[in-house]
Amino acid sequence: MILKGRVDSHQPPGPKGLPLLGNLVDIGRDVLRYYDEWSRQYGDMVALRLAAWPAILLNRPEYIEYVLVKNHRNFIKFPFFFRHVRAIFGQGLLTSEGECWQRQRRLMAPAFQDRRLTGYVAPIVRLSERMLESWQPGELRNIHTDMMTLTLSIAAKTLFDAEVESEVAEISQAFNTITDEIAIRFRLPFRIPDPVPIPGNIRYVCGVRRIDRLVNRIIEERRQQGGDRGDLLSMLMMAKDDEGRPMSERQLRDEVITLLLAGHETTALALSWTWYLLSQHPEIDAKLAFELQHVLGGRPPVVSDLPQLLFTTQVVTEAIRLYPPVWGFGREAVGDFDIGGYTISKGTTVIISPWVLHRHPHHFERPLEFRPERWSGDLARQLPRFAYIPFGGGPRICIGNRFAMMEAALILATVASRFRLEWQNDHPVVPFPSITLRPKNGIWIKPTTRNS
Ligand code: HEM
C-alpha cells in the first residue's frame, strides 16, 4: 500500500514516507535483483538512496503512463546521464529535447514507416545469409558477437546505404568500449571531464574518434556521389529548416551516430537473448522450426511472409519480455509533481524498468517462464498499457520499434530455418545490466544443421 506523504529532494522521507532503499554499492552490485525484490516487497513506488541524488523507481503502469504520456512535459531525459554521453551522441534524437527533438523526430519518421520498412526486408535477409556462408556446423561461436556484427551492417546498409563490413569488427569494438565506459561513468557520483587523461577517458575518446571517422566517411562518400537515394541519409542531408538552412555538420553527425548506435546493439541483444532462450527450450525451438518449414519451406523470407511468421514474432516478443535490451531508463522532473498520493519534488530522477515490469506476476502468469504462446491470444490487448514496454512509450517511444521487430523476425527466420543453435553450458550466461542488458562474456553456441 502506498502511504500519503511527501518525497523531497532535500528531506529524506520519514517513517510515514515512502520506503527509502538501497545505496549506490548495493545497486551497483546487483541492480536487477534489488529492483525486482523491492518492487515485490514495496509495490508501486520505491524511493532510492543514490548518494545525494533523489530517485524513485516506478512499478505501476498507470504511474509510468503519467510520466511518459500524460504529464510528459514535466519530465526530461536524464540530464545527469546525458552529460556523460554528450561526446558520442551530441544532440541526436535520443538525447535532444524540445523543439530540436521535435523537428528531428518529424524529419526522420518517414524512414520508419511501413512503406519504407518493406524495402529493408531484402537487404536484411541478404546480409543474414551472407553471415551464414561462413558458419560451420559444430563450431563454437559467440552468437552475441555475430548478432552485433550483423545488425551493425544492416543499420548501415538500410539507413545510410553504406557498406561497413570490412570495418565492422573494429567499429563494434569501439561501440562496446564506449558503452562500457558510459556505464562506468553512470555509476560514479561525480564526473571526470573527458579531457582528463585517465585510462577510461582515453578509451572513451579513442572509441568516439573511431566512430567519428566511420561516420565522416559515410557522409563524405554520399556528398561525392550526390543525388537523392531516398534513404534516411539523403533525407537528413536534404532537410532544410524554416529559414531554408540545411542541417549543420555537427547535427548530421550526431543523428547518424545515434541511429547506428541505438539501432544495432538493442536489436542484436533482442536476438542474442532469443537464441539463448531457444537453446534452453527445445520444444519451443521445434515449434519455431515447424512454422518456418511450413511458411518458408527452406527458402529465404520475403515481405509477404511476414504476416505468416506469427510464432516467430511471438518468440521475439517473449524474449524481450524476459530480457528487455533496455532494462531501465529514466527521466528527471523539471517541476514538483503528485503521484500515488505523494508530492515528488523537482529534480527527482524517475526510474522505469522494463525488466521489473515484465517479470511482474500481476501482469504475467508464471512470469519467469519463457512461453511465446502467451502472446497468441489477446494478452497484448488485455495488459494494462505500459505493463509491457520494451520500446518505452509516449512521444519518445523508440522510433525504430517496428524496424527492430521486423529485423529480428527476419534474422531469426533466416538463421533458424537452417540451423539449430546449441548452447554450450560450460560457458555460463550472465545478464549484465550495462546501459543495455548484455550477456556478460557472450553467449557461446554450436550450430547444427536443421535437417541433420
Ligand atoms: C529490440 C530493439 C530495440 C529496443 C529494445 C529499443 C528500445 C528503446 C527504448 C526503450 C527507447 C526509449 C528510451 C527512453 O524513453 O528514454 C528507445 C528510443 C530510441 N530508439 Fe530504440 N530500441 C530498439 C531498436 C531501435 C532501432 C532499430 C533504432 C533505429 C534504427 C532505434 C532508435 C531509437 C532512437 C533514435 C530512440 C530515441 C527516440 C526519441 O527520443 O525520439 N531503436 N529505444
Side-chain angles (χ1 to χ4, degrees):
M1 195 188 78
I2 295 284
L3 299 167
K4 303 281 170 194
R6 179 180 169 86
V7 180
D8 195 282
S9 44
H10 308 295
Q11 274 177 307
K16 284 200 178 162
L18 278 170
L20 178 64
L21 299 170
N23 54 52
L24 274 177
V25 176
D26 278 352
I27 291 174
R29 205 170 37 215
D30 200 348
V31 63
L32 299 176
R33 180 163 74 85
Y34 283 109
Y35 280 8
D36 242 347
E37 279 180 12
W38 295 335
S39 79
R40 298 294 170 271
Q41 241 175 309
Y42 300 98
D44 301 337
M45 194 156 45
V46 177
L48 302 176
R49 195 188 285 118
L50 304 178
W53 177 22
I56 53 168
L57 171 69
L58 294 184
N59 302 313
R60 184 174 172 143
E62 291 91 316
Y63 295 171
I64 293 168
E65 183 169 14
Y66 172 85
V67 170
L68 295 183
V69 184
K70 295 188 176 152
N71 195 18
H72 71 91
R73 283 183 218 288
N74 192 43
F75 298 92
I76 52 170
K77 285 205 170 182
F78 250 167
F80 172 80
F81 172 63
F82 288 127
R83 269 198 298 277
H84 289 306
V85 301
R86 198 62 78 201
I88 180 72
F89 290 119
Q91 287 288 334
L93 195 61
L94 192 66
T95 39
S96 54
E97 294 282 351
E99 268 176 37
C100 170
W101 167 77
Q102 220 162 22
R103 192 183 55 240
Q104 297 298 104
R105 176 103 191 186
R106 246 196 324 263
L107 181 70
M108 287 188 225
F112 296 94
Q113 282 164 357
D114 285 345
R115 195 170 46 85
R116 282 298 176 89
L117 293 187
T118 55
Y120 303 151
V121 170
I124 293 172
V125 173
R126 197 174 54 246
L127 288 165
S128 308
E129 290 197 302
R130 197 182 300 166
M131 171 188 76
L132 294 181
E133 281 166 16
S134 65
W135 283 27
Q136 296 299 325
E139 69 180 343
L140 188 62
R141 305 194 67 91
N142 181 352
I143 190 68
H144 182 53
T145 306
D146 285 330
M147 293 298 107
M148 289 284 282
T149 309
L150 177 60
T151 55
L152 180 57
S153 306
I154 289 173
K157 184 70 196 165
T158 52
L159 302 174
F160 310 121
D161 196 15
E163 310 286 341
V164 296
E165 276 167 301
S166 57
E167 299 164 77
V168 92
E170 214 188 314
I171 299 298
S172 275
Q173 181 58 44
F175 271 137
N176 277 341
T177 307
I178 291 167
T179 41
D180 284 347
E181 290 306 325
I182 293 172
I184 294 169
R185 288 164 173 218
F186 193 39
R187 293 203 172 99
L188 295 176
F190 48 86
R191 176 169 182 242
I192 305 171
D194 291 349
V196 178
I198 54 168
N201 278 359
I202 295 171
R203 280 194 295 271
Y204 179 76
V205 171
C206 288
V208 173
R209 285 205 189 116
R210 180 63 191 91
I211 306 289
D212 270 338
R213 280 207 301 281
L214 169 76
V215 170
N216 289 338
R217 170 174 79 73
I218 292 177
I219 295 172
E220 204 35 55
E221 276 177 13
R222 179 62 60 91
R223 282 233 160 81
Q224 281 170 10
Q225 289 152 0
D228 177 6
R229 294 268 190 86
D231 63 3
L232 183 63
L233 187 56
S234 293
M235 266 185 218
L236 295 173
M237 291 175 80
M238 290 166 62
K240 299 269 186 322
D241 68 11
D242 294 342
E243 277 135 45
R245 286 178 308 217
M247 201 177 286
S248 70
E249 284 295 305
R250 175 71 206 195
Q251 187 72 37
L252 185 59
R253 171 256 178 225
D254 291 350
E255 297 300 3
V256 173
I257 288 194
T258 296
L259 288 162
L260 276 181
L261 189 51
H264 95 280
E265 196 203 357
T266 43
T267 314
L269 284 165
L271 283 153
S272 300
W273 291 117
T274 301
W275 294 122
Y276 172 62
L277 287 162
L278 284 172
S279 69
Q280 311 283 303
H281 295 85
E283 70 298 347
I284 295 172
D285 180 73
K287 194 168 166 187
L288 173 70
F290 178 80
E291 175 174 275
L292 296 175
Q293 182 57 32
H294 177 70
V295 176
L296 306 176
R299 63 170 170 76
V302 293
V303 179
S304 57
D305 295 320
L306 283 168
Q308 322 295 321
L309 295 174
L310 290 176
F311 190 67
T312 311
T313 308
Q314 285 160 18
V315 167
V316 179
T317 307
E318 178 70 347
I320 60 175
R321 181 185 69 80
L322 278 171
Y323 293 97
V326 179
W327 62 275
F329 54 94
R331 296 289 187 269
E332 187 175 301
V334 293
D336 289 2
F337 67 104
D338 294 321
I339 200 160
Y342 286 90
T343 299
I344 311 283
S345 52
K346 170 183 170 177
T348 300
T349 291
V350 175
I351 299 170
I352 296 167
S353 171
W355 169 274
V356 172
L357 286 162
H358 293 181
R359 291 169 170 244
H360 206 297
H362 278 180
H363 311 312
F364 298 97
E365 214 185 303
R366 290 189 273 156
L368 301 187
E369 289 179 18
F370 178 56
R371 290 198 295 129
E373 302 82 3
R374 72 171 82 234
W375 297 99
S376 63
D378 59 357
L379 175 66
R381 268 194 306 279
Q382 278 174 10
L383 278 176
R385 283 182 74 199
F386 295 85
Y388 177 75
I389 50 165
F391 296 103
R396 309 249 6 195
I397 193 170
C398 174
I399 198 170
N401 61 358
R402 281 175 310 139
F403 181 122
M405 286 305 290
M406 182 187 83
E407 179 184 2
L410 288 168
I411 295 174
L412 183 57
T414 309
V415 177
S417 290
R418 288 180 48 192
F419 291 103
R420 167 168 159 62
L421 309 192
E422 283 174 13
W423 176 51
Q424 300 307 295
N425 53 11
D426 49 342
H427 291 76
V429 171
V430 183
F432 173 67
S434 178
I435 305 298
T436 48
L437 186 63
R438 295 177 168 176
K440 197 173 180 179
N441 311 319
I443 295 177
W444 292 85
I445 54 93
K446 280 187 182 166
T448 48
T449 331
R450 265 297 168 201
N451 53 11
S452 66

